[in-house]
Amino acid sequence: MEQIVNPQLKGHTGIGHTRWATHGAPTDDNAHPHANANGRIAIVHNGIIENYVSLRKYLEHLGVTFKSDTDTEVLVQLIGRFYKGDLEQAVRRALHDVAGTYGITVICADEPDVIVAARKGSPLIIGVGQGEHVIASDASAILAHTSQVVYLEDGEIARVTPSEFRLTTLEAIPVNREVEEVEWSLDQIELAGYEHFMQKEIFEQPTAMENCLRGRIDLEEGQVRLGGLVDCTRELIRTKRFILTACGTAWHSALVGEYLFEEIIRIPTEVEYASEFRYRNPIVEEGTTVIAVSQSGETTDTQAALREAKQRGALVLGVVNVVGSTIARETDAGVYLHVGPEIGVASTKAFTGQVAVLALMACYLGRRKHMSVASSTLFLTALSRIPDQMRETLKGADQAKEVAARFHQCENWLYLGRGFNYPLALEGALKLKEISYIHAEGLPAAEMKHGPIALITEGMPVVFIATAGSQYEKIMSNVEEVRSRGGSIIAIATEGDREIARHADHVIFVPDTIEPLQPLLASIPLQLIAYHAAVLRGCNVDKPRNLAKSVTVE
Ligand code: M6R
């Protein structure tokens, strides 16, 4: 949360919002808060009012003049029309006419102690302080004030004053909700000497991974303990098909999950973009388990996909980082990542946390089906070594910086991988484009010859995730195909590979681990290349243009 230092601002009740433009360009006129006709009621709004065109026409017909192009202004003008001395009532009345999603806070000059908040589809929490309340969409925004929070559910309205808060439904039925404790601490959301949160979160990965794995691995028995799955284990074992659904980076970790599940549990598994799954009339037969993967637990498309799956009778699980988030609360069961708060928009430690949790889930179920003690012990031993191997990997961080220094001015990059490393190629490309604004494409390496190879020109950076394993020879052939067309080869390879340096312009080594777990290590140099390229290009690493940390609109 940015601190506003303005001596002209007086008062003790305020609202503010960093707008992610949906309707109207990012201009001062379209910036929040918006006010009603007489300027006495103000609103900030996260979400989309879908019927704003008809509401706007109706209000214009009544003589209301609009100052912005936003859907939000329509809502505050509507609240103003219904205001008869009780802000909560006016908000309740207006929301009955509104279709769409919202997390709103509303204030009125005539009720200076009151903030009215309401939620449908966009997250909202009330922070309970001493003689004060703070409302936010994310717990990390209020941790400096309090760790006591109350989560609003969809269809609820809160009337908040410095001394108390009252929750009701849209139909004015009172709601009792417990105050909960946020498990994150303030120092976890501070930079702690790092220049950027992304950099901090990359370097935190060994500790984050230890926290993620803590208490979950029993090496002697070759067993995984996942308390969140205990109640649904019987049903899970009977699963005939897994569908993993997610967006962005979480979709990439779900893709690694698909490979892990099919390899270890031997149950058909597919990965769906949440935004596609929700609208394509999906077939959800009996015995389907849908797993929503999300760092924030608030991504609108992922939430909607899980609701769709639930409605169609699937068992619905969550793999989520933010405790108490909407997805965590709406799923039947799930596993938290426990990697701590992720502040940088580019997801890093959440990616490795998601892959680790999916690996644990695969082993948890595999062991209950046909996985032998010997093979699960081997797998879990490798997994428990990952935090230290991440530390080793991070010692080579300067190599990634050298790669970024040499290629950061190139506007087109390719990332290629096979097998478990194919999702990493997608993830490496996404990291580079979202924070450094370089165009990058990730592909399964064999797909290159079906079209993208035409892009290769002299000196074009092509990143190969070429770690040791069953696909090594194949990927080396792809390396040669690029090299013979003049591309510059950047290889992520396994320590001890003496051959690769003869084929690549740059090699970044990562420690040896079993093939299914290689993404946990090989992702780190990819994150570092993207980070350094963005820094060298002068980009805003933690808050890249046009992006939000959690995407709470469709
Ligand atoms: O909070 P979620 O994991 O549901 O977020 C999903 C994506 O919006 C997110 O991973 C996004 O792609 C990141 N900016 C990628 O770094």
Side-chain angles (χ1 to χ4, degrees), residues 246-251 293-299 302 327 345-348 350 354 427 430-431 434 547-551:
C247 306
T249 284
W251 188 86
V293 185
S294 172
Q295 188 285 129
S296 63
E298 301 294 351
T299 303
T302 313
I327 293 176
V345 162
S347 193
T348 51
Q354 285 156 353
E427 175 58 7
L430 175 62
K431 284 289 86 84
E434 72 177 322
L547 288 170
K549 180 62 184 161
S550 42
V551 182

Side-chain angles (χ1 to χ4, degrees), residues 101-113:
T101 56
Y102 49 79
I104 53 168
T105 56
V106 192
I107 54 174
C108 175
D110 300 325
E111 298 176 52
D113 273 351

Side-chain angles (χ1 to χ4, degrees), residues 393-472:
T393 308
L394 284 163
K395 284 185 192 157
D398 282 351
Q399 294 168 323
K401 197 171 177 181
E402 282 163 26
V403 169
R406 174 161 169 201
F407 295 107
H408 72 277
Q409 280 161 338
C410 300
E411 293 299 335
N412 288 295
W413 293 46
L414 266 187
Y415 285 73
L416 301 171
R418 283 171 174 260
F420 285 96
N421 288 332
Y422 147 55
L424 261 198
L426 305 185
E427 175 58 7
L430 175 62
K431 284 289 86 84
L432 190 71
K433 54 190 155 191
E434 72 177 322
I435 57 166
S436 66
Y437 318 144
I438 293 171
H439 176 253
E441 203 175 333
L443 293 166
E447 276 299 300
M448 181 180 63
K449 60 184 173 291
H450 298 289
I453 199 165
L455 290 171
I456 304 210
T457 50
E458 193 65 35
M460 179 183 183
V462 182
V463 181
F464 281 91
I465 302 109
T467 44
S470 58
Q471 314 261 345
Y472 183 76

Side-chain angles (χ1 to χ4, degrees), residues 35-42 107-110:
N36 74 323
N38 66 14
R40 298 194 68 73
I41 299 175
I107 54 174
C108 175
D110 300 325

Side-chain angles (χ1 to χ4, degrees), residues 130-141:
Q130 290 186 333
E132 64 172 1
H133 287 104
V134 203
I135 302 165
S137 55
D138 191 290
S140 55

